Amino acid sequence: MKKIIELITNPKTGKLSSSDCAICLAFVVSSIVVLYQCFNYQQNELLLGTYLAAWVAQSQASKRAAIKRDLDRDIELKDDSDD
């Protein structure tokens, strides 16, 4: 359980991250819906495809934002060291 809390905690502040909590909750809920549909034989390709596309898109957007943030921070640090 401690590892799960670490996943949704901001490492700088030690507080729970509301955006990470929302993403985890959305993942759990959407996964439950897909599993429910599978076990009730109502699963179709559109539901599964939408589920996968949504999580791949979210993952890639999050990674892209993190890379951009890190690049921006590196540029700021370089500018500060030039002064």
Side-chain angles (χ1 to χ4, degrees):
M1 185 68 169
K2 185 176 180 181
K3 295 282 185 185
I4 294 172
I5 298 297
E6 288 176 8
L7 286 174
I8 57 176
T9 301
N10 184 337
K12 292 181 182 177
T13 63
K15 296 180 181 179
L16 288 179
S17 169
S18 58
S19 61
D20 287 346
C21 289
I23 289 171
C24 287
L25 180 64
F27 178 72
V28 169
V29 170
S30 62
S31 297
I32 289 170
V33 168
V34 169
L35 290 173
Y36 176 79
Q37 293 293 336
C38 284
F39 288 122
N40 286 319
Y41 305 107
Q42 297 173 356
Q43 177 71 25
N44 60 29
E45 291 81 18
L46 180 62
L47 178 64
L48 184 59
T50 304
Y51 171 80
L52 291 173
W55 286 109
V56 167
Q58 186 280 330
S59 173
Q60 293 302 309
S62 176
K63 187 59 135 175
R64 186 175 182 100
I67 290 170
K68 183 179 183 317
R69 182 188 63 233
D70 291 344
L71 287 175
D72 290 345
R73 186 181 55 204
D74 289 345
I75 290 171
E76 287 177 9
L77 290 174
K78 185 177 179 184
D79 289 344
D80 289 344
S81 67
D82 289 343
D83 292 342

